[in-house]
mmCIF file of all heavy atoms in Angstrom:
data_model
loop_
_atom_site.group_PDB
_atom_site.id
_atom_site.type_symbol
_atom_site.label_atom_id
_atom_site.label_comp_id
_atom_site.label_asym_id
_atom_site.label_seq_id
_atom_site.Cartn_x
_atom_site.Cartn_y
_atom_site.Cartn_z
ATOM 1 N N LEU A 302 24.696 9.411 -12.533
ATOM 2 C CA LEU A 302 24.834 10.649 -11.755
ATOM 3 C C LEU A 302 23.433 11.118 -11.360
ATOM 4 O O LEU A 302 22.576 11.275 -12.218
ATOM 5 C CB LEU A 302 25.551 11.729 -12.572
ATOM 6 C CG LEU A 302 25.766 13.041 -11.809
ATOM 7 C CD1 LEU A 302 26.804 12.864 -10.706
ATOM 8 C CD2 LEU A 302 26.200 14.158 -12.751
ATOM 9 N N PHE A 303 23.234 11.340 -10.057
ATOM 10 C CA PHE A 303 21.954 11.850 -9.598
ATOM 11 C C PHE A 303 22.137 13.262 -9.060
ATOM 12 O O PHE A 303 23.076 13.531 -8.308
ATOM 13 C CB PHE A 303 21.400 10.974 -8.460
ATOM 14 C CG PHE A 303 21.218 9.532 -8.845
ATOM 15 C CD1 PHE A 303 22.070 8.552 -8.360
ATOM 16 C CD2 PHE A 303 20.198 9.160 -9.717
ATOM 17 C CE1 PHE A 303 21.920 7.231 -8.731
ATOM 18 C CE2 PHE A 303 20.019 7.829 -10.079
ATOM 19 C CZ PHE A 303 20.890 6.859 -9.591
ATOM 20 N N HIS A 304 21.266 14.135 -9.461
ATOM 21 C CA HIS A 304 21.234 15.481 -8.877
ATOM 22 C C HIS A 304 19.836 16.023 -9.062
ATOM 23 O O HIS A 304 19.137 15.618 -10.007
ATOM 24 C CB HIS A 304 22.286 16.402 -9.511
ATOM 25 C CG HIS A 304 22.145 16.580 -10.970
ATOM 26 N ND1 HIS A 304 21.133 17.351 -11.528
ATOM 27 C CD2 HIS A 304 22.854 16.075 -12.007
ATOM 28 C CE1 HIS A 304 21.253 17.314 -12.837
ATOM 29 N NE2 HIS A 304 22.263 16.538 -13.163
ATOM 30 N N ALA A 305 19.442 16.940 -8.205
ATOM 31 C CA ALA A 305 18.102 17.510 -8.361
ATOM 32 C C ALA A 305 18.150 18.663 -9.354
ATOM 33 O O ALA A 305 19.232 19.124 -9.741
ATOM 34 C CB ALA A 305 17.629 17.989 -6.993
ATOM 35 N N SER A 306 16.991 19.147 -9.754
ATOM 36 C CA SER A 306 16.948 20.380 -10.543
ATOM 37 C C SER A 306 17.457 21.516 -9.635
ATOM 38 O O SER A 306 17.504 21.365 -8.412
ATOM 39 C CB SER A 306 15.500 20.655 -10.948
ATOM 40 O OG SER A 306 14.720 20.811 -9.768
ATOM 41 N N PRO A 307 17.878 22.654 -10.238
ATOM 42 C CA PRO A 307 18.407 23.736 -9.398
ATOM 43 C C PRO A 307 17.464 24.114 -8.245
ATOM 44 O O PRO A 307 17.914 24.377 -7.126
ATOM 45 C CB PRO A 307 18.587 24.893 -10.385
ATOM 46 C CG PRO A 307 18.846 24.228 -11.698
ATOM 47 C CD PRO A 307 18.017 22.964 -11.662
ATOM 48 N N ARG A 308 16.164 24.088 -8.488
ATOM 49 C CA ARG A 308 15.190 24.476 -7.433
ATOM 50 C C ARG A 308 15.273 23.542 -6.214
ATOM 51 O O ARG A 308 15.174 24.002 -5.080
ATOM 52 C CB ARG A 308 13.779 24.431 -8.038
ATOM 53 C CG ARG A 308 12.691 24.912 -7.102
ATOM 54 C CD ARG A 308 11.386 25.054 -7.872
ATOM 55 N NE ARG A 308 10.230 25.080 -6.993
ATOM 56 C CZ ARG A 308 9.783 26.132 -6.344
ATOM 57 N NH1 ARG A 308 10.442 27.280 -6.461
ATOM 58 N NH2 ARG A 308 8.732 26.074 -5.562
ATOM 59 N N LEU A 309 15.485 22.273 -6.457
ATOM 60 C CA LEU A 309 15.579 21.332 -5.326
ATOM 61 C C LEU A 309 17.019 21.085 -4.870
ATOM 62 O O LEU A 309 17.258 20.328 -3.945
ATOM 63 C CB LEU A 309 14.885 20.007 -5.653
ATOM 64 C CG LEU A 309 13.361 20.069 -5.808
ATOM 65 C CD1 LEU A 309 12.786 18.677 -6.008
ATOM 66 C CD2 LEU A 309 12.685 20.745 -4.642
ATOM 67 N N SER A 310 17.995 21.728 -5.560
ATOM 68 C CA SER A 310 19.392 21.646 -5.096
ATOM 69 C C SER A 310 19.642 22.725 -4.056
ATOM 70 O O SER A 310 20.384 22.540 -3.098
ATOM 71 C CB SER A 310 20.368 21.874 -6.256
ATOM 72 O OG SER A 310 20.280 20.844 -7.184
ATOM 73 N N MET A 311 19.036 23.887 -4.266
ATOM 74 C CA MET A 311 19.182 24.979 -3.286
ATOM 75 C C MET A 311 18.339 24.658 -2.046
ATOM 76 O O MET A 311 17.663 23.631 -1.996
ATOM 77 C CB MET A 311 18.730 26.307 -3.900
ATOM 78 C CG MET A 311 17.235 26.332 -4.204
ATOM 79 S SD MET A 311 16.721 27.704 -5.259
ATOM 80 C CE MET A 311 16.682 29.044 -4.086
ATOM 81 N N ASP A 312 18.435 25.506 -1.025
ATOM 82 C CA ASP A 312 17.689 25.246 0.196
ATOM 83 C C ASP A 312 16.188 25.275 -0.071
ATOM 84 O O ASP A 312 15.677 26.218 -0.692
ATOM 85 C CB ASP A 312 18.038 26.283 1.259
ATOM 86 C CG ASP A 312 19.475 26.092 1.732
ATOM 87 O OD1 ASP A 312 20.063 25.060 1.396
ATOM 88 O OD2 ASP A 312 19.973 26.961 2.473
ATOM 89 N N ASN A 313 15.487 24.241 0.382
ATOM 90 C CA ASN A 313 14.052 24.145 0.102
ATOM 91 C C ASN A 313 13.342 23.277 1.127
ATOM 92 O O ASN A 313 13.951 22.426 1.772
ATOM 93 C CB ASN A 313 13.846 23.574 -1.316
ATOM 94 C CG ASN A 313 14.315 22.139 -1.414
ATOM 95 O OD1 ASN A 313 13.572 21.224 -1.069
ATOM 96 N ND2 ASN A 313 15.549 21.902 -1.828
ATOM 97 N N GLY A 314 12.043 23.508 1.269
ATOM 98 C CA GLY A 314 11.247 22.785 2.248
ATOM 99 C C GLY A 314 10.942 21.356 1.844
ATOM 100 O O GLY A 314 10.728 20.489 2.705
ATOM 101 N N ALA A 315 10.976 21.074 0.531
ATOM 102 C CA ALA A 315 10.611 19.714 0.061
ATOM 103 C C ALA A 315 11.608 18.676 0.575
ATOM 104 O O ALA A 315 11.214 17.598 1.041
ATOM 105 C CB ALA A 315 10.575 19.697 -1.476
ATOM 106 N N MET A 316 12.898 19.000 0.535
ATOM 107 C CA MET A 316 13.903 18.027 1.001
ATOM 108 C C MET A 316 13.774 17.833 2.530
ATOM 109 O O MET A 316 14.061 16.746 3.029
ATOM 110 C CB MET A 316 15.319 18.478 0.611
ATOM 111 C CG MET A 316 15.791 19.760 1.309
ATOM 112 S SD MET A 316 17.460 20.223 0.777
ATOM 113 C CE MET A 316 17.883 21.430 2.067
ATOM 114 N N ILE A 317 13.336 18.884 3.215
ATOM 115 C CA ILE A 317 13.167 18.773 4.673
ATOM 116 C C ILE A 317 11.978 17.825 4.962
ATOM 117 O O ILE A 317 12.045 16.978 5.859
ATOM 118 C CB ILE A 317 12.896 20.170 5.303
ATOM 119 C CG1 ILE A 317 14.042 21.159 4.970
ATOM 120 C CG2 ILE A 317 12.682 20.068 6.827
ATOM 121 C CD1 ILE A 317 15.430 20.715 5.397
ATOM 122 N N ALA A 318 10.916 17.987 4.184
ATOM 123 C CA ALA A 318 9.762 17.086 4.338
ATOM 124 C C ALA A 318 10.147 15.633 4.057
ATOM 125 O O ALA A 318 9.779 14.727 4.803
ATOM 126 C CB ALA A 318 8.635 17.534 3.389
ATOM 127 N N ARG A 319 10.954 15.423 3.006
ATOM 128 C CA ARG A 319 11.318 14.058 2.628
ATOM 129 C C ARG A 319 12.244 13.419 3.671
ATOM 130 O O ARG A 319 12.084 12.243 4.037
ATOM 131 C CB ARG A 319 11.996 14.072 1.237
ATOM 132 C CG ARG A 319 12.359 12.704 0.675
ATOM 133 C CD ARG A 319 11.156 11.827 0.481
ATOM 134 N NE ARG A 319 11.560 10.447 0.109
ATOM 135 C CZ ARG A 319 12.006 9.525 0.967
ATOM 136 N NH1 ARG A 319 12.081 9.801 2.259
ATOM 137 N NH2 ARG A 319 12.331 8.337 0.529
ATOM 138 N N ALA A 320 13.225 14.190 4.157
ATOM 139 C CA ALA A 320 14.112 13.679 5.214
ATOM 140 C C ALA A 320 13.303 13.456 6.490
ATOM 141 O O ALA A 320 13.527 12.494 7.230
ATOM 142 C CB ALA A 320 15.262 14.652 5.459
ATOM 143 N N GLY A 321 12.333 14.355 6.746
ATOM 144 C CA GLY A 321 11.467 14.228 7.920
ATOM 145 C C GLY A 321 10.644 12.940 7.854
ATOM 146 O O GLY A 321 10.486 12.235 8.860
ATOM 147 N N LEU A 322 10.145 12.602 6.654
ATOM 148 C CA LEU A 322 9.365 11.379 6.479
ATOM 149 C C LEU A 322 10.244 10.165 6.806
ATOM 150 O O LEU A 322 9.811 9.231 7.514
ATOM 151 C CB LEU A 322 8.850 11.276 5.043
ATOM 152 C CG LEU A 322 8.071 10.020 4.686
ATOM 153 C CD1 LEU A 322 6.727 9.999 5.429
ATOM 154 C CD2 LEU A 322 7.808 9.950 3.171
ATOM 155 N N PHE A 323 11.488 10.181 6.313
ATOM 156 C CA PHE A 323 12.419 9.069 6.578
ATOM 157 C C PHE A 323 12.660 8.918 8.080
ATOM 158 O O PHE A 323 12.571 7.810 8.621
ATOM 159 C CB PHE A 323 13.756 9.312 5.853
ATOM 160 C CG PHE A 323 14.849 8.405 6.298
ATOM 161 C CD1 PHE A 323 14.791 7.032 5.990
ATOM 162 C CD2 PHE A 323 15.929 8.873 7.026
ATOM 163 C CE1 PHE A 323 15.808 6.177 6.423
ATOM 164 C CE2 PHE A 323 16.939 8.009 7.465
ATOM 165 C CZ PHE A 323 16.872 6.665 7.162
ATOM 166 N N ARG A 324 12.928 10.021 8.751
ATOM 167 C CA ARG A 324 13.211 9.955 10.198
ATOM 168 C C ARG A 324 11.960 9.576 10.996
ATOM 169 O O ARG A 324 12.033 8.920 12.020
ATOM 170 C CB ARG A 324 13.791 11.303 10.679
ATOM 171 C CG ARG A 324 15.191 11.586 10.133
ATOM 172 C CD ARG A 324 16.238 10.859 10.946
ATOM 173 N NE ARG A 324 17.459 10.583 10.162
ATOM 174 C CZ ARG A 324 18.398 9.722 10.520
ATOM 175 N NH1 ARG A 324 18.272 9.024 11.632
ATOM 176 N NH2 ARG A 324 19.444 9.516 9.774
ATOM 177 N N HIS A 325 10.795 10.010 10.513
ATOM 178 C CA HIS A 325 9.539 9.671 11.184
ATOM 179 C C HIS A 325 9.288 8.170 11.142
ATOM 180 O O HIS A 325 8.860 7.551 12.119
ATOM 181 C CB HIS A 325 8.368 10.434 10.540
ATOM 182 C CG HIS A 325 7.036 10.121 11.166
ATOM 183 N ND1 HIS A 325 6.070 9.352 10.545
ATOM 184 C CD2 HIS A 325 6.547 10.431 12.387
ATOM 185 C CE1 HIS A 325 5.046 9.226 11.351
ATOM 186 N NE2 HIS A 325 5.290 9.862 12.471
#
Side-chain angles (χ1 to χ4, degrees):
L302 181 70
F303 302 107
H304 59 73
S306 60
R308 185 171 161 81
L309 292 186
S310 295
M311 66 193 281
D312 291 350
N313 66 84
M316 67 180 195
I317 304 302
R319 183 62 187 80
L322 178 68
F323 168 69
R324 291 279 154 196
H325 179 251

